Amino acid sequence: MSAIKILPDIYSVGVLDWGVRNFHGHTYTTQRGSTYNSYLIVDEKIALVDTVYGPFAQELIENIKAIVPPEKIDYIIANHVETDHSGALPSLMQLCPKAKILGTAKCKDGLYKHYYGNWDFQVVKTGDKLELGKRTLTFLEAPMIHWPDSMFTYCPQDALLMPNDAFGQHYATAGRFDDQVDQCSLMDEAEKYYANILWPLSSVILKKIEEVQRLNIPIKMIAPSHGVIWRKDPGRIINSYITWAKGQTNKKIIVAYETMWGATEKMARQIAEGISAAGVEVNLYNIAESDRTEIITRMLTAQGFLFGSSTHDNDMLPNIAAFLEIVKGLKPKGRQVGFFGSYGWAGGAVKEMQEALKDSGVDTSIPGVSIKYIPDKEELKTCFEFGNQFARILR
Ligand code: FEO
């Protein structure tokens, strides 16, 4: 991606990563690739806001060179330590060794522990300002959105917010603005990003949005560090974040199961029939065959989850176990959860699944359904009723 002007004297100099399909150590599938955004502000002083992932350092440097010689950079704002935004720093700092890096105290510590660079670093706090000439940058600490070091940078003269990961999407497209891309894909990727990265931090996010709203600062453009820039209607993504952070859900149930010889799958299908018969939307996933990132995205706005597993060695199967470990970390409070599964002799999957989520903020009190070997007609009816009743008790 070449450098493009996003506002007078402000350039997007980041890179497109069309090929990435796994992110965060395979915890997030990125079917539409991603971008690592970096913004160059050319004023009396020159500032770069964030860099890019290390393997793309040279591309960033070439993009900067198309606008200014890198040695002329006075400041590098490090909104976030994570390597997808700071990985190019060591290469860049070789070209502008006198540039001052600005970030939070935790950022200073984190960058040192990543790169061990002997760099000039200025710690900034909420409300601190950096005069560039015609423009000023102001900083807003945003701890745990989504690392302790995270920070937002705001330029009042352009009403431009650069919030790093917040409001981002893993979405590689030729269009660089929200009004240049497919709207369904854009909002799907924004929701996926929220569900898989920010969901457990919802209360922090809601407070931060309220804090920004109290500041009453105009925001005409949001330039995140992944995906496209929100310029048409930044309020749209802010409002979506408020909805997700408040845990607003739809009458929808996610059924996710793993099956050994098909008995638990039979149960899952009947449960789904029972949910549908109650007039509630249902999405059914065989966890061993499905994209976990996608399932979690669909779970974000669902009121209830039903998890199923065959029993194996008195326990649940390994794919559902790994998935519930992720669900536990998301702390999806306020959701109703239920469990089901088939077994051969001693059982154990239902109990172990309940145990896995007992401290995750969900209600696991509904008795689960366990069926020996292959469900017969009556037992399939039991499954149908289980799904039907579960759907009826949703808030
Ligand atoms: Fe995009 Fe937290 O890094």
Side-chain angles (χ1 to χ4, degrees), residues 57 60 67 83-84 112:
L60 168 73
I67 312 296
T83 192
D84 50 330
Y112 183 74

mmCIF file with all atom_site columns, all heavy atoms in Angstrom, residues 57 60 67 83-84 112:
data_model
loop_
_atom_site.group_PDB
_atom_site.id
_atom_site.type_symbol
_atom_site.label_atom_id
_atom_site.label_alt_id
_atom_site.label_comp_id
_atom_site.label_asym_id
_atom_site.label_entity_id
_atom_site.label_seq_id
_atom_site.pdbx_PDB_ins_code
_atom_site.Cartn_x
_atom_site.Cartn_y
_atom_site.Cartn_z
_atom_site.occupancy
_atom_site.B_iso_or_equiv
_atom_site.pdbx_formal_charge
_atom_site.auth_seq_id
_atom_site.auth_comp_id
_atom_site.auth_asym_id
_atom_site.auth_atom_id
_atom_site.pdbx_PDB_model_num
ATOM 1  N N   . ALA A 1 57  ? 8.698  -3.541 7.930  1.00 0.00 ? 57  ALA A N   1
ATOM 2  C CA  . ALA A 1 57  ? 9.396  -2.296 8.272  1.00 0.00 ? 57  ALA A CA  1
ATOM 3  C C   . ALA A 1 57  ? 9.876  -1.547 7.028  1.00 0.00 ? 57  ALA A C   1
ATOM 4  O O   . ALA A 1 57  ? 9.718  -0.322 6.915  1.00 0.00 ? 57  ALA A O   1
ATOM 5  C CB  . ALA A 1 57  ? 10.576 -2.592 9.200  1.00 0.00 ? 57  ALA A CB  1
ATOM 6  N N   . LEU A 1 60  ? 7.144  0.304  5.257  1.00 0.00 ? 60  LEU A N   1
ATOM 7  C CA  . LEU A 1 60  ? 6.796  1.532  5.982  1.00 0.00 ? 60  LEU A CA  1
ATOM 8  C C   . LEU A 1 60  ? 7.823  2.627  5.676  1.00 0.00 ? 60  LEU A C   1
ATOM 9  O O   . LEU A 1 60  ? 7.453  3.775  5.381  1.00 0.00 ? 60  LEU A O   1
ATOM 10 C CB  . LEU A 1 60  ? 6.777  1.251  7.496  1.00 0.00 ? 60  LEU A CB  1
ATOM 11 C CG  . LEU A 1 60  ? 6.716  2.489  8.394  1.00 0.00 ? 60  LEU A CG  1
ATOM 12 C CD1 . LEU A 1 60  ? 5.324  3.127  8.356  1.00 0.00 ? 60  LEU A CD1 1
ATOM 13 C CD2 . LEU A 1 60  ? 7.092  2.148  9.852  1.00 0.00 ? 60  LEU A CD2 1
ATOM 14 N N   . ILE A 1 67  ? 7.213  10.746 1.315  1.00 0.00 ? 67  ILE A N   1
ATOM 15 C CA  . ILE A 1 67  ? 6.679  12.019 1.830  1.00 0.00 ? 67  ILE A CA  1
ATOM 16 C C   . ILE A 1 67  ? 7.812  12.893 2.380  1.00 0.00 ? 67  ILE A C   1
ATOM 17 O O   . ILE A 1 67  ? 7.927  14.072 2.016  1.00 0.00 ? 67  ILE A O   1
ATOM 18 C CB  . ILE A 1 67  ? 5.643  11.789 2.964  1.00 0.00 ? 67  ILE A CB  1
ATOM 19 C CG1 . ILE A 1 67  ? 4.600  10.728 2.569  1.00 0.00 ? 67  ILE A CG1 1
ATOM 20 C CG2 . ILE A 1 67  ? 4.967  13.110 3.370  1.00 0.00 ? 67  ILE A CG2 1
ATOM 21 C CD1 . ILE A 1 67  ? 3.711  11.074 1.419  1.00 0.00 ? 67  ILE A CD1 1
ATOM 22 N N   . THR A 1 83  ? 3.626  -5.960 19.146 1.00 0.00 ? 83  THR A N   1
ATOM 23 C CA  . THR A 1 83  ? 4.609  -5.978 18.058 1.00 0.00 ? 83  THR A CA  1
ATOM 24 C C   . THR A 1 83  ? 4.027  -5.648 16.676 1.00 0.00 ? 83  THR A C   1
ATOM 25 O O   . THR A 1 83  ? 4.758  -5.202 15.798 1.00 0.00 ? 83  THR A O   1
ATOM 26 C CB  . THR A 1 83  ? 5.325  -7.349 18.041 1.00 0.00 ? 83  THR A CB  1
ATOM 27 O OG1 . THR A 1 83  ? 6.440  -7.262 17.184 1.00 0.00 ? 83  THR A OG1 1
ATOM 28 C CG2 . THR A 1 83  ? 4.398  -8.469 17.595 1.00 0.00 ? 83  THR A CG2 1
ATOM 29 N N   . ASP A 1 84  ? 2.728  -5.841 16.491 1.00 0.00 ? 84  ASP A N   1
ATOM 30 C CA  . ASP A 1 84  ? 2.154  -5.495 15.186 1.00 0.00 ? 84  ASP A CA  1
ATOM 31 C C   . ASP A 1 84  ? 2.146  -3.984 14.962 1.00 0.00 ? 84  ASP A C   1
ATOM 32 O O   . ASP A 1 84  ? 1.938  -3.521 13.838 1.00 0.00 ? 84  ASP A O   1
ATOM 33 C CB  . ASP A 1 84  ? 0.748  -6.095 15.003 1.00 0.00 ? 84  ASP A CB  1
ATOM 34 C CG  . ASP A 1 84  ? -0.193 -5.828 16.149 1.00 0.00 ? 84  ASP A CG  1
ATOM 35 O OD1 . ASP A 1 84  ? 0.276  -5.710 17.294 1.00 0.00 ? 84  ASP A OD1 1
ATOM 36 O OD2 . ASP A 1 84  ? -1.417 -5.756 15.922 1.00 0.00 ? 84  ASP A OD2 1
ATOM 37 N N   . TYR A 1 112 ? 10.943 -1.262 26.039 1.00 0.00 ? 112 TYR A N   1
ATOM 38 C CA  . TYR A 1 112 ? 12.298 -1.656 26.421 1.00 0.00 ? 112 TYR A CA  1
ATOM 39 C C   . TYR A 1 112 ? 12.394 -3.183 26.504 1.00 0.00 ? 112 TYR A C   1
ATOM 40 O O   . TYR A 1 112 ? 13.339 -3.792 26.003 1.00 0.00 ? 112 TYR A O   1
ATOM 41 C CB  . TYR A 1 112 ? 12.707 -1.015 27.754 1.00 0.00 ? 112 TYR A CB  1
ATOM 42 C CG  . TYR A 1 112 ? 14.133 -1.377 28.090 1.00 0.00 ? 112 TYR A CG  1
ATOM 43 C CD1 . TYR A 1 112 ? 15.198 -0.794 27.401 1.00 0.00 ? 112 TYR A CD1 1
ATOM 44 C CD2 . TYR A 1 112 ? 14.412 -2.364 29.032 1.00 0.00 ? 112 TYR A CD2 1
ATOM 45 C CE1 . TYR A 1 112 ? 16.507 -1.182 27.651 1.00 0.00 ? 112 TYR A CE1 1
ATOM 46 C CE2 . TYR A 1 112 ? 15.725 -2.758 29.286 1.00 0.00 ? 112 TYR A CE2 1
ATOM 47 C CZ  . TYR A 1 112 ? 16.769 -2.161 28.599 1.00 0.00 ? 112 TYR A CZ  1
ATOM 48 O OH  . TYR A 1 112 ? 18.058 -2.555 28.826 1.00 0.00 ? 112 TYR A OH  1
#
